[in-house]
Amino acid sequence: MGKTYEGGVPLAEVVRSGFVEGVHRGSVVVLDSTGAPLAAAGDVTSPIFPRSSNKPMQAVGMLRAGLSLTEPADLAIVAASHAGEEFHLARVAGLLAGAGLDGDALHCPPELPVGDQARTAVLRAGGGPTRIQMNCSGKHAGMLLTCRSAGWPLDGYWRADHPLQRSLRDTVEEFTGEEAVAVGVDGCGAPVLSASLTGLATAFLRLVAAESDTGAGMVAGAMRAHPEVVGGTQADDTRLMRGVPGLLAKIGAEGVIATALPGVGAVALKIDDGAGRARMPVLVSALRRLGLDAPVLAEFAEVPIFGGGLPVGATRPLW
């Protein structure tokens, strides 16, 4: 694996009124069902921060460390970047309450929901930022419960040298098959571990290939059974999992997404400028290289560009 991400190639263009006004660069890798490279563009072997696309592997690590949950939807919220809808917040609150904790125990910063509808509802009701509304609160709740189960201190559970985080790092490195050569602080305050796009796609392929009674199989199964918990009612990864049965998908910040379908293959990509509008059209192009075809892919193939309230162009894939 290279030491520095070299940046990608043009993957998508922004067309307004027939005029190309912008281009998004990035990198993407497509693996077949055996994990062999099928197609790639840009730098897919140097480390990036997958951000929240690491959450499924972190959830596996929590199970291995002693996290015990009775409902698959609870496991899905631990691997989620939720929209802050009422059912998300209720599930996180329930996890904390079951351990005798509340939102104040979370280290993630107070924020408004990331989902447009949920954020608007909070503001209309006169509410403000809270820790439990932060989109990573499910992961942090899972970390707290894991520490309780393992007998580790709750204090400092988010620090990279905490026993919990060392354990989760081992799991992420196992699934990607790579050393995490860089460790940063994610937006939620917990560690984010680097991996190449090839390593990330490999990890997702291993998740969907795992037996259902293993930690990896439990996480992948929970996420696919409860896609609305993973993202939200209108989240892109939620809609993908609903529209392609068996597909595992998880978005990460800064233009990252990883997907895998058992017996078919996996995709991981990063849009270099972090633009969300380019992520899904490029992903659709990559999934079609695996032979996938579903109505939901047509919905994501282009992202409309508006002028005067009317569609006048689109962000569309070049690759």
Side-chain angles (χ1 to χ4, degrees):
M1 183 171 65
K3 293 184 178 180
T4 304
Y5 178 61
E6 296 178 356
V9 299
L11 291 181
E13 61 182 4
V14 182
V15 182
R16 181 181 296 276
S17 304
F19 179 80
V20 178
E21 67 171 351
V23 173
H24 294 288
R25 302 173 67 89
S27 300
V28 55
V29 64
V30 183
L31 305 181
D32 67 18
S33 60
T34 70
L38 183 65
D43 182 359
V44 300
T45 60
S46 298
I48 64 160
F49 279 145
R51 303 295 296 275
S52 287
S53 293
N54 276 344
K55 284 179 179 175
M57 291 84 79
Q58 291 173 312
V60 174
M62 292 184 221
L63 290 176
R64 290 179 172 181
L67 177 64
S68 179
L69 301 172
T70 57
E71 296 185 29
D74 287 337
L75 187 53
I77 200 72
V78 170
S81 297
H82 64 73
E85 297 171 76
E86 288 187 9
F87 66 92
H88 292 129
L89 307 185
R91 191 160 292 280
V92 176
L95 286 177
L96 292 170
L101 302 170
D102 58 24
D104 290 337
L106 301 170
H107 178 68
C108 52
E111 290 188 4
L112 290 168
V114 297
D116 292 340
Q117 294 179 354
R119 182 171 58 253
T120 298
V122 169
L123 293 174
R124 283 179 175 171
T130 65
R131 295 184 188 278
I132 206 167
Q133 289 173 164
M134 200 272 171
N135 69 325
C136 297
S137 65
K139 178 181 75 173
H140 280 255
M143 289 178 174
L144 286 165
L145 269 62
T146 302
C147 289
R148 276 280 172 85
S149 297
W152 293 328
L154 301 188
D155 184 46
Y157 74 87
W158 60 89
R159 297 193 177 99
D161 60 353
H162 190 281
L164 168 71
Q165 300 302 336
R166 291 201 301 266
S167 177
L168 300 190
R169 176 172 179 163
D170 289 343
T171 303
V172 172
E173 290 181 334
E174 174 191 332
F175 275 79
T176 62
E178 300 172 352
E179 178 188 0
V181 297
V183 180
V185 179
D186 214 333
C188 66
V192 58
L193 307 172
S194 69
S196 72
L197 288 171
T198 298
L200 181 60
T202 298
F204 270 64
L205 204 56
R206 288 172 173 165
L207 286 166
V208 299
E211 296 293 332
S212 61
D213 60 349
T214 64
M218 292 168 64
V219 170
M223 293 174 68
R224 290 177 292 185
H226 300 278
E228 73 287 346
V229 175
V230 175
T233 306
Q234 300 300 320
D236 289 348
D237 43 10
T238 292
R239 292 170 58 196
L240 265 179
M241 288 190 282
R242 283 177 178 163
V244 183
L247 184 75
L248 178 68
K250 184 69 190 74
I251 283 174
E254 295 299 320
V256 176
I257 190 168
T259 68
L261 188 63
V264 176
V267 174
L269 68 87
K270 174 177 173 60
I271 304 302
D272 286 354
D273 62 8
R277 67 181 178 182
R279 175 168 45 202
M280 299 307 290
V282 176
L283 177 65
V284 168
S285 177
L287 290 174
R288 285 176 171 166
R289 290 168 188 254
L290 288 170
L292 293 185
D293 187 20
V296 70
L297 299 186
E299 296 175 20
F300 285 123
E302 294 187 351
V303 175
I305 299 294
F306 293 90
L310 300 173
V312 296
T315 300
R316 62 194 186 191
L318 287 170
W319 184 69

